[in-house]
Amino acid sequence: MAPPTAIDLQSVTDTQVATISGPLSVNGVPARRNKAPKMDGGLVAASSSEMFKGPGYGKPKAKRWDHRLNEESTSRKPTAIKGVAKYLKNPGIISLGGGLPSSEHFPFERIDTKVPVPPNFSEEDTKDTGIVTSIGKHDIAESKGLFDIHVALNYSQAAGTPQLLRFITEHTEIVHNPPYRDWQCCATVGSTSALDMAYRMFTTRGEYILSEEYTFATAVETAAPMGVRVIGVAMDAQGMLATSLNEILSTWDEAARGAKKPWLLYTVPTGGNPTGATQSEQRRREIYRVAQKHDLYILEDEPYYFLQMQPYTGANVPDVPPPASHADFLKSIVPSLLSMDVDGRVMRMDSFSKVIAPGARVGWITAPEQIVERFVRHQEVSTQSVSGFSQMMLYKLLDETWGHAGYLDWLINLRLEYTKRRDVICHACEEFLPSQVASWNPPAAGMFHWIKINWRLHPQSSTRPMLEIEDEVFHVAIERGVLCTKGSWFRAEADGGTDMFLRTTFASASADNIREAIRRLGEALRAIFRLE
């Protein structure tokens, strides 16, 4: 399918928006763009989701979160230098005010990339039938395109360039359609950077935050130097338990804990790292209701959202047919917390790291205007903006070459490829791991396979602690030629837990190597537990 029609390049005021109502669909993007005001995509151009999203008629505004923003966040002011950029579009103005280097001295005249053409996404297809996209230094001035090296490689606004932010905003509306009116997106240098900034906006030294009992290790490690501790919420096969979350909050004892009741919740709802667990729609609604009851603010970290896979059917069973259309694909994925956020109490963190390339270091947040504005103030004086190289390449690929339809085709392709990889590791586990000591749930999303090891069956379990036996499993597996990750490394609380897990990944190794690795792990477990 052809990419959506481009908008002509022209300066507009920051407050102009398209007055189009109704939910946005892939097929509706060209009409919206054609009816929208023309975009200013020049040097340091103003950029806001308000320029590109629907007006949200009938939707409420988000709640205010003044009581949740900390002193550091509320004290930030707009940077004066960034504000000067709005005068650059004044006709005839000669700028001696900004510290923008001349692109005359950028050592790049043209950048070419070869990319796949939907639906032929394999490496071989790309070599044979891919197309070369080209971006020159002065494509805008020469009317060859809406983005160029002259603009992309200079300074830009912290929210992202208009060219890429438009695509991100439209994608967010197509997929999630947030149910409140004043949502916005802001480009980020990936979700890890976004999480660090979110902590800096919301937390205060000595506080607790909430997360899954097994969680993204960096989320804990980022909080620790800030003096912020993490309380782990119990989990089952679907991830975080709303009942456990409610119990922790309802029975919180400030005197015993030495801290106020926590109100910030960090969660990875889809294909969670490390467990691979995916919250069902019902589970997400239950968690959201608990958040409303206790006035929580939610950090929804979703790097694996579009790695939701086909249902696992087992070995020698026919595969479930893939989605027949874009609409079927979007209906098949679990609705996000953002999509049910009537209060504006969710900051969603998205990333291109798992669906395009981690080295791009590009993601985005979606949150109420109040929160995004504070986030932008922080980003202005830290990362400043997302890499111009990355924004330029993503724009050429996603917007100019693929369009929203092609991007969804790519995501459907990833779904099927990850399904194959997941099936390989699950089949290998069924074939090679000793069922007496190893058990697992086939992951529904993500890139991790979480294996529970019944350490209590170890011959020395009565005299050796779990963490010591876990260390033995880890090192014997390495001696046998397979590297797994200790589950205890992902504990939200530094107690090691009482159960033993291994995290494995099926994201990068070949099918043959995945099978061989699991076979070696099975040998290691049989030797350690004396099952041979």
Side-chain angles (χ1 to χ4, degrees):
M1 302 178 76
T5 304
I7 294 179
D8 292 334
L9 195 69
Q10 181 174 311
S11 295
V12 297
T13 64
D14 297 353
T15 57
Q16 286 180 288
V17 297
T19 55
I20 312 295
S21 61
L24 183 63
S25 66
V26 171
N27 294 333
V29 169
R32 173 175 290 186
R33 290 190 177 189
N34 287 335
K35 293 179 181 179
K38 295 179 180 179
M39 179 179 63
D40 173 15
L43 283 175
V44 204
S47 188
S48 168
S49 289
E50 293 300 324
M51 300 173 178
F52 311 120
K53 69 178 193 178
Y57 295 134
K59 294 181 179 180
K61 290 194 72 174
K63 295 179 179 295
R64 295 285 302 180
W65 299 102
D66 305 79
H67 62 300
R68 295 310 192 197
L69 293 167
N70 63 22
E71 184 178 357
E72 177 183 346
S73 181
T74 56
S75 64
R76 292 190 184 277
K77 306 296 182 185
T79 59
I81 298 299
K82 291 284 187 183
V84 170
K86 65 184 178 183
Y87 298 110
L88 291 175
K89 61 188 177 185
N90 286 8
I93 197 166
I94 299 174
S95 175
L96 300 179
L100 304 177
S102 171
S103 64
E104 178 184 355
H105 306 300
F106 296 171
F108 305 97
E109 181 60 30
R110 191 179 76 180
I111 298 174
D112 296 337
T113 58
K114 191 172 186 179
V115 299
V117 178
N120 303 310
F121 292 117
S122 72
E123 282 190 338
E124 288 303 314
D125 286 337
T126 304
K127 290 177 183 177
D128 295 339
T129 64
I131 62 172
V132 175
T133 67
S134 179
I135 189 163
K137 183 175 283 188
H138 299 293
D139 284 358
I140 294 175
E142 296 170 1
S143 300
K144 295 179 180 178
L146 301 185
F147 213 7
D148 61 18
I149 293 171
H150 167 72
V151 170
L153 299 193
N154 222 308
Y155 291 107
S156 64
Q157 297 290 349
T161 60
Q163 290 89 339
L164 184 61
L165 186 63
R166 177 180 65 176
F167 186 91
I168 287 171
T169 301
E170 292 166 347
H171 172 78
T172 298
E173 191 170 353
I174 289 168
V175 176
H176 307 288
N177 190 23
Y180 61 94
R181 187 165 70 249
D182 52 334
W183 63 273
Q184 291 188 1
C185 298
C186 174
T188 69
V189 187
S191 293
T192 301
S193 172
L195 179 61
D196 176 75
M197 292 188 195
Y199 283 170
R200 293 277 299 274
M201 289 169 57
F202 290 115
T203 66
T204 301
R205 184 170 292 274
E207 290 183 337
Y208 281 93
I209 61 175
L210 301 140
S211 186
E212 288 90 350
E213 61 181 330
Y214 290 93
T215 189
F216 180 39
T218 301
V220 178
E221 293 162 351
T222 301
M226 299 180 185
V228 176
R229 293 163 287 181
V230 183
I231 290 290
V233 180
M235 306 172 67
D236 64 6
Q238 291 186 29
M240 181 180 291
L241 286 161
T243 51
S244 175
L245 178 63
N246 182 62
E247 181 180 6
I248 289 171
L249 295 166
S250 298
T251 60
W252 188 266
D253 186 330
E254 291 189 5
R257 294 282 192 175
K260 294 181 180 179
K261 176 176 157 181
W263 55 266
L264 188 65
L265 171 63
Y266 170 80
T267 181
V268 184
T270 309
N273 182 2
T275 67
T278 296
Q279 298 169 12
S280 66
E281 178 179 358
Q282 179 62 29
R283 178 66 56 83
R284 296 179 200 219
R285 294 193 182 280
E286 291 169 355
I287 290 170
Y288 190 82
R289 283 195 290 270
V290 174
Q292 288 180 307
K293 175 182 177 181
H294 295 279
D295 197 24
L296 305 184
Y297 197 86
I298 302 172
L299 302 178
E300 180 186 23
D301 191 2
E302 282 284 40
Y304 313 104
Y305 187 71
F306 284 110
L307 299 185
Q308 295 184 47
M309 295 170 279
Q310 299 288 92
Y312 182 69
T313 56
N316 303 316
V317 177
D319 295 333
V320 175
S325 65
H326 297 145
D328 286 347
F329 170 61
L330 293 176
K331 289 177 183 176
S332 72
I333 55 181
V334 182
S336 63
L337 287 166
L338 176 64
S339 72
M340 53 189 74
D341 181 22
V342 295
D343 299 333
R345 65 174 65 251
V346 173
M347 175 193 284
R348 179 181 171 89
M349 295 177 283
D350 279 284
S351 175
F352 288 117
S353 291
K354 304 304 187 292
V355 296
I356 297 293
R361 303 315 307 145
V362 181
W364 70 97
I365 64 162
T366 307
E369 178 182 10
Q370 179 193 16
I371 301 302
V372 171
E373 187 272 337
R374 291 291 87 195
F375 188 93
V376 168
R377 297 288 83 81
H378 189 160
Q379 194 152 258
E380 283 176 340
V381 294
S382 54
T383 58
Q384 287 208 11
S385 62
V386 175
S387 163
F389 281 107
S390 294
Q391 293 196 74
M392 180 170 57
M393 293 180 70
L394 286 170
Y395 166 79
K396 291 292 288 187
L397 175 68
L398 299 176
D399 194 297
E400 192 172 288
T401 305
W402 285 355
H404 288 284
Y407 184 46
L408 291 183
D409 288 338
W410 169 255
L411 295 175
I412 292 170
N413 172 72
L414 281 183
R415 176 191 184 106
L416 300 179
E417 291 299 318
Y418 270 82
T419 296
K420 293 176 187 176
R421 289 178 168 276
R422 185 272 317 273
D423 289 354
V424 168
I425 200 168
C426 286
H427 296 166
C429 288
E430 291 165 4
E431 182 176 353
F432 296 120
L433 295 190
S435 59
Q436 305 97 308
V437 297
S439 59
W440 59 88
N441 293 304
M447 52 178 60
F448 301 112
H449 186 44
W450 188 239
I451 302 172
K452 185 175 183 179
I453 306 299
N454 188 350
W455 68 275
R456 295 173 180 85
L457 295 180
H458 190 282
Q460 299 172 336
S461 63
S462 61
T463 58
R464 295 173 63 191
M466 184 273 285
L467 291 178
E468 188 176 304
I469 295 173
E470 180 192 49
D471 193 61
E472 178 188 6
V473 172
F474 175 72
H475 284 99
V476 171
I478 292 175
E479 291 170 4
R480 298 276 177 153
V482 57
L483 178 63
C484 303
T485 311
K486 295 181 183 181
S488 62
W489 289 344
F490 301 94
R491 287 285 297 176
E493 301 176 49
D495 57 4
T498 57
D499 291 323
M500 182 191 299
F501 296 93
L502 295 175
R503 191 195 75 171
T504 62
T505 178
F506 48 89
S508 59
S510 68
D512 288 345
N513 281 345
I514 290 172
R515 282 181 51 80
E516 177 60 17
I518 295 300
R519 187 192 67 78
R520 295 175 183 180
L521 177 61
E523 284 187 349
L525 291 174
R526 287 184 174 87
I528 293 166
F529 287 84
R530 300 178 187 173
L531 299 175
E532 296 179 321

